């Protein structure tokens, strides 16, 4: 079964996270969401929660630090939202992950 890693951070636009997640699941793609913290080197929490751009709180499946092999997914989904996009774009692990996916011609 194809799989996708969907990133989320505080400030992510709710619709840009939820709609792709829902659409992919309906298409039979296994989705895992991962919270990218906006505070570097934070300790992962048992229930990683992102407060989205309109105040909606979404519980991610995992903290990004707990994703064992982020390169094992077939696609990487990066939702927008000003603050969330800023956090994702500045995260070194996310930057490396994007480069790896593009080098392997995976969907980003």
């Amino acid at each position: 079964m194809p799989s996708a890693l969907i990133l989320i951070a505080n400030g992510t636009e709710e619709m840009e996270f939820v709609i792709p997640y829902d659409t992919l699941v309906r298409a039979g793609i296994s989705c895992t969401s991962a919270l990218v913290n906006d505070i570097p080197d934070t300790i992962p929490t048992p229930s990683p929660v992102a407060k989205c751009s309109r105040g909606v709180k979404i519980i991610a499946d995992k903290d990004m630090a707990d994703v064992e092999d982020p390169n094992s997914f077939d696609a990487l989904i990066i939702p927008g939202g000003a603050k969330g996009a800023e956090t994702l774009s500045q995260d070194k692990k996310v930057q490396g992950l994007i480069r790896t996916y593009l080098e392997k011609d995976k969907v980003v």
Side-chain angles (χ1 to χ4, degrees):
M1 171 184 290
S3 62
L5 178 61
I6 305 178
L7 305 180
I8 189 167
N10 289 323
T12 293
E13 169 62 45
E14 291 87 340
M15 290 176 54
E16 292 188 31
F17 173 82
V18 173
I19 293 171
Y21 194 108
D22 179 63
T23 302
L24 291 169
V25 168
R26 289 174 188 237
I29 296 170
S30 173
C31 293
T32 300
S33 59
L35 174 68
V36 177
N37 279 307
D38 50 355
I39 303 169
D41 301 322
T42 56
I43 298 170
T45 60
S47 180
V49 177
K51 184 174 181 185
C52 294
S53 62
R54 305 293 182 264
V56 172
K57 293 178 181 174
I58 295 177
I59 301 171
D61 297 317
K62 298 179 177 213
D63 188 287
M64 187 62 178
D66 294 332
V67 177
E68 291 178 21
D69 184 7
N71 292 310
S72 67
F73 296 88
D74 299 304
L76 177 64
I77 310 301
I78 307 169
K83 175 66 175 139
E86 180 182 322
T87 297
L88 296 175
S89 70
Q90 293 176 356
D91 186 275
K92 299 293 184 202
K93 187 172 184 177
V94 172
Q95 291 173 8
L97 193 57
I98 293 168
R99 267 190 226 94
T100 299
Y101 270 62
L102 292 175
E103 288 168 359
K104 293 182 177 182
D105 290 324
K106 291 186 174 186
V107 174
V108 177

